[in-house]
Amino acid sequence: MSDIVEKTLTALPGLFLQNQAGGGPAAAKAPFSSRLGGLVRSITALTSKHEEEKLIQQELSSLKATVSAPTTTLKMMKECMVRLMYCEMLGYDASFGYIHAIKLAQQGNLLEKRVGYLAVSLFLHESHELLLLLVNTVVKDLQSTNLIEVCMALTIVSQIFPREMIPAVLPLIEDKLQHSKEIIRRKAVLALYKFHLIAPNQVQHIHVKFRKALCDRDVGVMAASLHIYFRMIKENSSGYKDLTGSFVTILKQVVGGKLPVDFNYHSVPAPWLQIQLLRILGLLGKDDQRTSELMYDVLDESLRRAELNHNVTYAILFECVHTVYSIYPKSELLEKAAKCIGKFVLSPKINLKYLGLKALTYVIQQDPTLALQHQMTIIECLDHPDPIIKRETLELLYRITNTQNVTVIVQKMLDYLHQSKEEYIIVNLVGKIAELAEKYAPDNAWFIQTMNAVFSVGGDVIHPDIPNNFLRLLAEGFDDEAEDQQLRLYAVQSYLTLLDVENVFYPQRFLQVMSWVLGEYSYLLDKEMTEEVITKLYRLLMSDSISSETKAWLIAAVTKLTPQAHSSNIVEKLIQEFTVSLDTCMRQHAFELKHLHENMELMKSLLPVDKSCEDMMVDASLSFLDGFVAEGLSQGAAPYKPHHQRQEEKLSQEKGLNFEPYGLSFSSSGFTGRQSPAGISLGSDVSGNSADTGLKETSSLKLEGIKKLWGKEGYLPKKENKTGDETEAPVPQETTIMENVDQAVTKKDQSQVLTQTKEEKEKQLLASSLFVGLGSESSVNLITEQPECCLSITEAENTKIFQYSVQMEKPFMQGNLCGFVNYQTVDTLSAQLEFSVNLSLLDFIRPLKISTEDFGKLWLTFANDVKQNVKMSDSQAALPSTLETLEQKLRLHVVDIIGNEGLLACQLLPSTPCLVHCRVYADILALWFRSSCSTLPDYLLYQCQKVIEGS
Amino acid sequence: MIQAILVFNNHGKPRLVRFYQRFPEEIQQQIVRETFHLVLKRDDNICNFLEGGSLIGGSDYKLIYRHYATLYFVFCVDSSESELGILDLIQVFVETLDKCFENVCELDLIFHMDKVHYILQEVVMGGMVLETNMNEIVAQIEAQNRLEKAEGGLSAAPARAVSAVKNINLPEIPRNINIGDLNIKVPNLSQFV
């Protein structure tokens, strides 16, 4: 063969020479053009894969030199690209040429560009980094006036553009929907469909334009838009019911032959369009009588018209049947459709038979009698030489399985399974058999044997749910305890028999199932048998073909059986064997067994017989170790830090670049900032007294010694306070608790002085996150301050309001706010009115309304945590009601309840958050507090304890 | 959606490989090989549908193929495509090739790999069926060809050379993609009632 090819191909240069006469300057490159021919010729001449590889490597290295040479013209490049594509198709790496393909698409003339684009679309994929370099070219070409350039750009966009690049081209492609050329509109619609597939959100706004495309005067554009509608209706059929009429009309026109003859394919009008429309109708009419009624006529007509005898009419017929059975049923149509299915099933053409079976599988649940009608055909198909037909038949049988026919059908499936080597077929079929066996098993023996077959054939590719479900089924049993015991006993016996067979290797999964069952249920055998079972397990353990995972299962089974056995020779042997094993895991197990073995009583209580379904009480908080921990701490051990905290600390030590925008740290989490609490402070807001507005002023935090010159509103000018050196920062209204001290001042002018506690404070939103924890160290006792305030003279019977805000900067349990008001009545009698208010921590706690997600984020940012188990007084109390109590009494916000865990959040005003995680075990509530403030969790815990234990 | 379109000859040599879904290079080659072995095992008189191997996503995907003389055309599609529809789409594609190359044969596919891709691009775009109307496809291709001619004489030369080669008798490289089949278009089906 190669000789001849060679001969013919050597003629090529001659042919080129003839053409070179008129070729002009390009003629010099002629030999270059023949290179692909040369390459193909040489490859054809080769006999071995190895030679081919050598040749292509040579070719690639010469191509590499050519493409990177500066003298290579675009025209030569174009030729090189074709050869590179050829090499890539054969499976060789030509990645050095990718960048040149992009260049060619960028710089070439139309023809070169076309090759460039083609190469790019073959070489690159949507997440290839080089694709970025193409965006500009594509954008440019989309704006081109040349149709072919636009087409090329649209094609490349729909082929490899990833979702991130869509915004760059989306508006341009949207515009193309109005293009005067149909081909452009059609490609634009498909490109938008592709966008809809990979990023539906980005094209949501152009759904109106899709409707326009559906009504396009060009059939091709309309057909293209059906792709989109099919998809969208599949996702949400209720949103497009109004279009049913349009689709029906279109289909009617198509079926009625209203389209130009041009659209006929073998005298069938636009078959692909019909198929698409029928599928859409099927989706729209599903479970919807009114919509379905609209389409009965056209479906009837489709069924009637599709009597022609071409392959593609069967395609339409098949879709028709499918649709008839999908929508709200109409008996006439169903009858006709059933007849059609008959045609398919009985057809001698295998393709049609296959589709007939597929249709039967689909409709069988609605109309089982159809299966009866065709039962002989179905049985024939079971022995069909084509495995695909067989598979489809089994699929059909799977759908009609019931308690009566299960044994036969499962047997057929197992037969098929034994012949099959395809992994995914095995996985699929084994799953079905297991499902049928669980559902319809006629008796124990059959069930166990079928499952044995499943496990031995399915091997280790089997879906892990199957063994798990099987074991759960065995353990949980059915309603009848005696029956369950029999099933278990049968399983144990059958496994023992299987293990007796010499020289048979069972899949690891199967052995695991066996070892679990033997470990749990060998007690159902005679007492004397236990040793025998252990011996068998031991023999397996010593076998080379057992994976270490299975060994763990086996040793677990032995451990379970040990307390039941009379003598323990084998167990001791096993312990000896494995305590020196090189496998650390096995050694661990062996040591556990050894220690338990020495204390039989403990072992018996630890491994009770037949208790696998009973839950064990686990103290997850490990409270029994408290003494140990306390001892360790008292001896100077460092307190335990949770993993994330350690990591955080590690991170904070590594001074890396901060990529987070600063503003986010407080805006996202839903409160205005975190403040390092330091004592109680007082913000002032005096209404009705203009003279004192100057009170608001900047202050410096002693701690950091930083002047606060810039606030939210910009530069904060420093002003002297009337009363002296006291400084104060404005407190945002919304985060401040307003202690309204309402004073009705009778008659006269002077009001006076509230005694207040005061410490320097600042609204240091940003800094607080950096200095969490530092602030509390400078804890300062309550200092009395004396903000004075004069209220103007008040008319009789009038009210003046004087407001001060009190803010807790450092958590405390109880506090007292006291003050007095001096006033003079008209008759100049001076009087003093004293007042005092008791404040507790709870007065400053507010619910923090955040989402579970935010909770998760915040949780990790807080370093101070406190854990405590609280015994609930009422053991019946469920978690939700406990949380409700906490919500009511402590004003905590219940963020979420997940199973036996609850999330709560609150904040100490103005903005010190505290998060609580609680978990219930029996009557124990494990509370876990976290906050940015170090002392807040302790105080809150105390309050919680009081509430829970008191309730 | 169409996941991939593969064309290979009776010996499993790839002649056209077009993936619409991303697979790593090695997997692509493996898919071509595996598909070839799957298809090769099958007689001509059993059905043209196959379940995709585990590589292409298992039972949700189908391989729909046609065998023309020396070439297998395999479309790998998901469950949203009509099997028979795709089967005829392959026919449309091959017929279009036949029109564009005037009696297409395996050699055309080798020497005009790029052109075959351009034709395919007019039929299937990004995995979606763009056009099934053969005249329309041919018209698009011809529009592009006119451009090529306008570009100047030389680029047309290799094409002429190849067609010269084609006319020389090549006993061992099978020449035609059995156009007899093409013209009758699945004759067996038409007899059936």
Side-chain angles (χ1 to χ4, degrees):
Chain A
M1 175 177 91
S2 53
D3 281 352
I4 293 145
V5 179
E6 195 144 352
K7 235 182 252 167
T8 55
L9 288 172
T10 41
L12 283 173
L15 288 164
F16 288 129
L17 283 175
Q18 286 168 16
N19 288 307
Q20 270 170 27
K29 281 128 203 166
F32 212 86
S33 310
S34 66
R35 288 273 179 86
L36 176 66
L39 175 63
V40 173
R41 179 189 58 181
S42 337
I43 290 176
T44 332
L46 297 174
T47 47
S48 75
K49 182 83 188 160
H50 178 67
E51 285 176 78
E52 181 193 293
E53 201 173 317
K54 228 169 84 186
L55 183 84
I56 300 240
Q57 291 306 347
Q58 264 174 20
E59 174 74 15
L60 283 175
S61 51
S62 93
L63 274 171
K64 196 172 183 176
T66 317
V67 291
S68 45
T71 52
T72 309
T73 62
L74 287 175
K75 196 153 202 159
M76 288 154 77
M77 195 64 93
K78 181 182 125 195
E79 213 284 323
C80 288
M81 277 307 140
V82 178
R83 279 193 281 157
L84 280 176
M85 285 189 256
Y86 190 78
C87 295
E88 280 255 320
M89 181 178 75
L90 293 179
Y92 297 89
D93 176 54
S95 48
F96 61 86
Y98 295 177
I99 185 71
H100 298 285
I102 289 179
K103 261 197 228 158
L104 198 62
Q106 273 167 358
Q107 300 160 358
N109 64 21
L110 210 51
L111 282 176
E112 289 149 8
K113 200 184 251 309
R114 189 165 68 151
V115 176
Y117 270 131
L118 177 63
V120 167
S121 82
L122 287 170
F123 291 160
L124 304 187
H125 52 77
E126 68 269 2
S127 41
H128 201 287
E129 52 198 354
L130 284 180
L131 214 54
L132 272 173
L133 300 176
L134 198 72
V135 178
N136 274 335
T137 318
V138 170
V139 168
K140 205 182 80 204
D141 286 336
L142 279 175
Q143 290 161 313
S144 162
T145 50
N146 186 316
L147 287 185
I148 293 181
E149 278 183 351
V150 180
C151 278
M152 288 192 294
L154 285 171
T155 306
I156 198 91
V157 161
S158 68
Q159 247 147 5
I160 52 172
F161 255 46
R163 93 180 50 195
E164 308 83 61
M165 294 188 190
I166 293 175
V169 292
L170 187 60
L172 290 170
I173 294 181
E174 266 183 79
D175 288 345
K176 295 287 175 278
L177 289 175
Q178 272 97 46
H179 202 275
S180 59
K181 274 286 183 195
E182 303 81 43
I183 183 74
I184 303 283
R185 294 207 297 277
R186 206 178 304 160
K187 289 191 175 179
V189 168
L190 279 191
L192 289 174
Y193 170 54
K194 189 67 189 286
F195 292 170
H196 176 76
L197 287 181
I198 55 179
N201 300 336
Q202 299 196 28
V203 291
Q204 234 156 16
H205 62 288
I206 36 182
H207 283 193
V208 188
K209 290 185 179 166
F210 290 154
R211 291 207 177 209
K212 242 183 181 165
L214 183 66
C215 307
D216 199 283
R217 61 184 181 282
D218 180 70
V219 181
V221 181
M222 185 269 290
S225 75
L226 291 183
H227 282 291
I228 303 178
Y229 278 106
F230 179 67
R231 180 77 186 196
M232 293 196 297
I233 291 171
K234 205 171 176 185
E235 284 157 4
N236 165 31
S237 66
S238 56
Y240 300 91
K241 299 275 186 194
D242 57 320
L243 286 173
T244 314
S246 316
F247 292 126
V248 168
T249 320
I250 298 171
L251 184 58
K252 256 188 195 147
Q253 287 175 5
V254 177
V255 175
K258 298 274 160 50
L259 289 186
V261 196
D262 215 28
F263 286 93
N264 283 10
Y265 176 77
H266 295 269
S267 61
V268 182
W272 288 277
L273 186 56
Q274 288 195 46
I275 291 173
Q276 193 79 339
L277 283 166
L278 285 167
R279 293 188 155 210
I280 290 177
L281 290 183
L283 291 175
L284 282 170
K286 199 171 169 63
D287 305 323
D288 183 342
Q289 187 174 3
R290 274 186 46 206
T291 314
S292 298
E293 275 164 3
L294 295 172
M295 48 186 92
Y296 288 151
D297 280 347
V298 73
L299 288 176
D300 192 48
E301 193 173 347
S302 285
L303 283 174
R304 200 156 40 79
R305 291 242 183 193
E307 295 284 318
L308 299 157
N309 295 313
H310 184 269
N311 186 21
V312 86
T313 55
Y314 284 101
I316 298 173
L317 217 49
F318 178 80
E319 291 310 327
C320 234
V321 169
H322 202 275
T323 305
V324 167
Y325 274 95
S326 302
I327 63 172
Y328 189 85
K330 187 189 182 195
S331 54
E332 275 170 61
L333 279 177
L334 288 179
E335 220 168 274
K336 284 184 187 169
K339 229 183 259 171
C340 278
I341 293 179
K343 276 190 205 172
F344 277 98
V345 175
L346 296 173
S347 165
K349 296 292 152 276
I350 300 171
N351 285 344
L352 299 187
K353 205 183 262 297
Y354 171 79
L355 287 175
L357 289 170
K358 208 176 140 183
L360 266 185
T361 313
Y362 182 71
V363 306
I364 214 86
Q365 276 139 335
Q366 295 178 41
D367 190 359
T369 53
L370 265 179
L372 289 178
Q373 269 178 41
H374 299 294
Q375 50 182 326
M376 285 328 287
T377 323
I378 294 171
I379 288 174
E380 277 167 33
C381 288
L382 266 181
D383 296 319
H384 201 280
D386 188 345
I388 303 298
I389 298 274
K390 265 197 203 170
R391 285 257 303 128
E392 198 57 47
T393 317
L394 289 178
E395 180 72 39
L396 171 64
L397 292 177
Y398 165 71
R399 303 282 173 102
I400 56 167
T401 309
N402 55 38
T403 39
Q404 275 113 50
N405 60 14
V406 64
T407 46
V408 189
I409 289 176
V410 166
Q411 189 51 47
K412 287 283 174 200
M413 288 179 163
L414 285 173
D415 290 347
Y416 184 86
L417 212 50
H418 285 299
Q419 297 160 11
S420 176
K421 287 179 205 77
E422 278 278 353
E423 188 180 305
Y424 75 99
I425 292 180
I426 295 175
V427 172
N428 185 311
L429 212 51
V430 151
K432 283 187 174 138
I433 295 174
E435 189 194 326
L436 292 179
E438 277 171 25
K439 256 197 217 159
Y440 302 115
D443 58 69
N444 289 338
W446 184 86
F447 178 59
I448 295 298
Q449 267 159 16
T450 307
M451 289 314 284
N452 286 353
V454 163
F455 290 130
S456 8
V457 180
D460 293 319
V461 295
I462 201 170
H463 197 277
D465 277 355
I466 297 175
N468 292 347
N469 284 343
F470 173 70
L471 292 182
R472 187 181 308 136
L473 203 75
L474 269 189
E476 287 173 358
F478 306 94
D479 298 331
D480 185 355
E481 185 58 31
E483 188 74 7
D484 292 342
Q485 298 293 34
Q486 252 187 343
L487 180 67
R488 291 166 191 158
L489 182 60
Y490 190 87
V492 170
Q493 283 166 342
S494 104
Y495 295 155
L496 289 178
T497 331
L498 284 177
L499 289 181
D500 272 340
V501 185
E502 299 277 335
N503 294 325
V504 177
F505 296 105
Y506 299 105
Q508 303 297 322
R509 282 270 170 76
F510 193 16
L511 287 172
Q512 290 164 12
V513 168
M514 286 189 201
S515 44
W516 191 86
V517 173
L518 290 177
E520 283 294 324
Y521 298 117
S522 287
Y523 78 93
L524 294 168
L525 296 164
D526 292 337
K527 283 285 165 225
E528 292 73 42
M529 289 288 285
T530 315
E531 273 115 272
E532 204 185 315
V533 175
I534 294 180
T535 316
K536 286 203 167 95
L537 293 173
Y538 174 71
R539 211 181 305 140
L540 274 177
L541 264 175
M542 302 308 290
S543 152
D544 295 332
S545 57
I546 306 291
S547 76
S548 54
E549 191 195 349
T550 312
K551 281 189 180 164
W553 285 73
L554 286 165
I555 204 162
V558 173
T559 312
K560 278 184 224 165
L561 291 177
T562 306
Q564 298 165 28
H566 294 298
S567 80
S568 50
N569 294 340
I570 308 244
V571 177
E572 272 155 21
K573 215 162 114 194
L574 185 146
I575 291 171
Q576 252 180 13
E577 197 84 44
F578 284 98
T579 41
V580 293
S581 164
L582 284 180
D583 183 338
T584 44
C585 200
M586 287 308 289
R587 209 158 63 210
Q588 165 84 15
H589 286 304
F591 272 111
E592 279 166 14
L593 176 58
K594 186 179 168 200
H595 287 294
L596 284 174
H597 189 55
E598 284 159 7
N599 186 350
M600 263 308 170
E601 279 316 303
L602 176 64
M603 191 164 192
K604 275 184 181 154
S605 65
L606 191 67
L607 301 163
V609 172
D610 193 23
K611 290 281 191 292
S612 61
C613 290
E614 271 151 55
D615 290 327
M616 270 190 184
M617 254 293 285
V618 178
D619 183 0
S621 61
L622 306 179
S623 56
F624 56 87
L625 284 175
D626 283 352
F628 176 76
V629 172
E631 195 184 326
L633 284 175
S634 68
Q635 285 170 0
Y640 173 72
K641 286 178 186 165
H643 177 68
H644 63 87
Q645 192 182 338
R646 272 175 285 155
Q647 252 185 346
E648 239 167 55
E649 281 171 13
K650 209 172 127 204
L651 278 179
S652 64
Q653 280 161 13
E654 291 166 8
K655 288 193 182 79
L657 286 174
N658 179 17
F659 292 107
E660 302 259 316
Y662 286 112
L664 279 181
S665 60
F666 35 83
S667 62
S668 63
S669 48
F671 36 84
T672 48
R674 282 178 242 140
Q675 190 154 13
S676 40
I680 194 162
S681 74
L682 197 73
S684 79
D685 183 356
V686 182
S687 59
N689 191 340
S690 62
D692 249 343
T693 46
L695 203 67
K696 298 179 177 178
E697 211 199 345
T698 61
S699 74
S700 57
L701 194 71
K702 262 185 200 160
L703 237 177
E704 285 96 10
I706 299 165
K707 291 271 181 194
K708 173 148 175 145
L709 295 176
W710 294 90
K712 245 183 179 171
E713 302 81 12
Y715 181 70
L716 303 170
K718 189 174 169 98
K719 285 182 192 165
E720 273 307 313
N721 192 311
K722 247 169 56 177
T723 50
D725 51 359
E726 168 213 329
T727 53
E728 223 168 281
V731 179
Q733 202 77 347
E734 67 271 16
T735 57
T736 317
I737 167 169
M738 303 302 296
E739 280 298 321
N740 293 342
V741 188
D742 293 357
Q743 289 292 333
V745 183
T746 44
K747 300 277 164 114
K748 263 285 167 176
D749 47 347
Q750 243 192 351
S751 72
Q752 261 314 335
V753 184
L754 283 166
T755 313
Q756 295 293 351
T757 57
K758 177 84 178 81
E759 164 54 63
E760 281 189 19
K761 63 155 189 165
E762 192 178 350
K763 198 179 82 181
Q764 260 217 333
L765 298 179
L766 212 65
S768 63
S769 57
L770 294 168
F771 296 102
V772 169
L774 281 180
S776 54
E777 280 162 29
S778 71
S779 67
V780 182
N781 291 327
L782 306 182
I783 296 169
T784 35
E785 265 310 318
Q786 300 195 325
E788 292 175 40
C789 171
C790 291
L791 290 177
S792 52
I793 297 165
T794 312
E795 297 299 320
E797 314 288 324
N798 253 356
T799 308
K800 278 269 159 108
I801 297 169
F802 178 50
Q803 289 186 323
Y804 257 97
S805 69
V806 182
Q807 195 177 317
M808 188 181 272
E809 286 204 338
K810 181 185 184 332
F812 62 96
M813 275 301 169
Q814 294 286 339
N816 186 275
L817 177 74
C818 53
F820 56 88
V821 181
N822 283 325
Y823 63 93
Q824 273 183 313
T825 44
V826 191
D827 43 3
T828 66
L829 275 172
S830 184
Q832 184 167 341
L833 208 78
E834 282 189 2
F835 64 91
S836 89
V837 189
N838 276 327
L839 297 170
S840 89
L841 177 77
L842 289 182
D843 293 318
F844 295 86
I845 292 291
R846 293 289 178 277
L848 176 61
K849 301 224 158 79
I850 54 172
S851 69
T852 315
E853 244 180 74
D854 289 335
F855 185 97
K857 280 185 212 148
L858 270 180
W859 182 264
L860 295 179
T861 58
F862 294 154
N864 306 297
D865 68 2
V866 172
K867 279 194 211 173
Q868 181 77 41
N869 287 352
V870 183
K871 199 164 161 67
M872 288 188 283
S873 56
D874 181 3
S875 61
Q876 310 303 335
L879 182 67
S881 67
T882 314
L883 295 190
E884 205 177 339
T885 321
L886 288 177
E887 186 169 32
Q888 280 165 4
K889 301 222 166 149
L890 300 182
R891 288 195 260 200
L892 306 181
H893 170 62
V894 179
V895 179
D896 207 348
I897 299 177
I898 309 160
N900 63 344
E901 296 178 58
L903 306 179
L904 299 161
C906 66
Q907 58 179 328
L908 173 67
L909 290 170
S911 58
T912 311
C914 182
L915 306 179
V916 191
H917 171 271
C918 38
R919 186 198 286 263
V920 181
Y921 311 98
D923 59 345
I924 299 288
L925 184 69
L927 291 167
W928 188 356
F929 292 82
R930 275 205 185 173
S931 171
S932 56
C933 165
S934 59
T935 46
L936 187 56
D938 283 316
Y939 288 125
L940 267 179
L941 171 63
Y942 174 71
Q943 298 288 355
C944 283
Q945 263 174 321
K946 254 187 11 189
V947 168
I948 292 166
E949 279 161 4
S951 65
Chain B
M1 282 285 277
I2 299 169
Q3 306 297 313
I5 293 173
L6 312 172
V7 179
F8 38 77
N9 71 4
N10 289 348
H11 305 288
K13 279 266 172 237
R15 292 301 177 223
L16 174 85
V17 177
R18 169 93 254 188
F19 280 89
Y20 294 102
Q21 197 194 6
R22 190 197 160 190
F23 289 103
E25 190 66 33
E26 324 80 76
I27 303 290
Q28 289 190 7
Q29 290 299 317
Q30 215 176 325
I31 289 175
V32 174
R33 273 199 304 275
E34 210 169 273
T35 312
F36 170 65
H37 288 299
L38 278 176
V39 170
L40 190 73
K41 275 193 291 200
R42 300 176 63 80
D43 296 332
D44 276 352
N45 59 353
I46 57 179
C47 78
N48 297 58
F49 317 124
L50 263 175
E51 278 185 14
S54 31
L55 275 179
I56 291 199
S59 53
D60 196 39
Y61 291 89
K62 288 232 160 57
L63 301 173
I64 296 167
Y65 73 95
R66 267 177 185 269
H67 188 199
Y68 296 97
T70 67
L71 291 177
Y72 284 98
F73 286 74
V74 185
F75 279 41
C76 171
V77 301
D78 66 11
S79 55
S80 72
E81 300 285 344
S82 148
E83 286 96 340
L84 289 176
I86 292 291
L87 209 53
D88 273 275
L89 188 72
I90 299 178
Q91 182 77 15
V92 167
F93 178 47
V94 176
E95 280 185 50
T96 313
L97 287 177
D98 194 43
K99 276 196 182 175
C100 293
F101 288 108
E102 293 165 21
N103 281 355
V104 68
C105 71
E106 195 182 333
L107 273 182
D108 291 312
L109 266 62
I110 305 172
F111 286 101
H112 299 290
M113 207 179 78
D114 46 343
K115 271 198 193 147
V116 177
H117 273 291
Y118 301 139
I119 295 170
L120 184 60
Q121 274 178 3
E122 296 303 320
V123 183
V124 178
M125 181 173 140
M128 300 157 295
V129 180
L130 173 70
E131 182 58 75
T132 50
N133 183 348
M134 211 183 318
N135 297 334
E136 185 69 26
I137 302 166
V138 174
Q140 288 302 324
I141 295 297
E142 273 168 3
Q144 291 181 24
N145 286 349
R146 274 198 293 281
L147 243 167
E148 208 158 335
K149 288 205 180 100
E151 282 278 314
L154 197 95
S155 52
R160 255 171 277 163
V162 170
S163 65
V165 173
K166 241 161 67 178
N167 293 330
I168 301 168
N169 205 10
L170 292 178
E172 290 215 31
I173 294 185
R175 272 172 35 95
N176 283 340
I177 305 180
N178 202 350
I179 304 304
D181 264 8
L182 290 189
N183 296 336
I184 307 167
K185 286 125 201 169
V186 209
N188 340 353
L189 288 182
S190 51
Q191 290 141 22
F192 169 73
V193 179

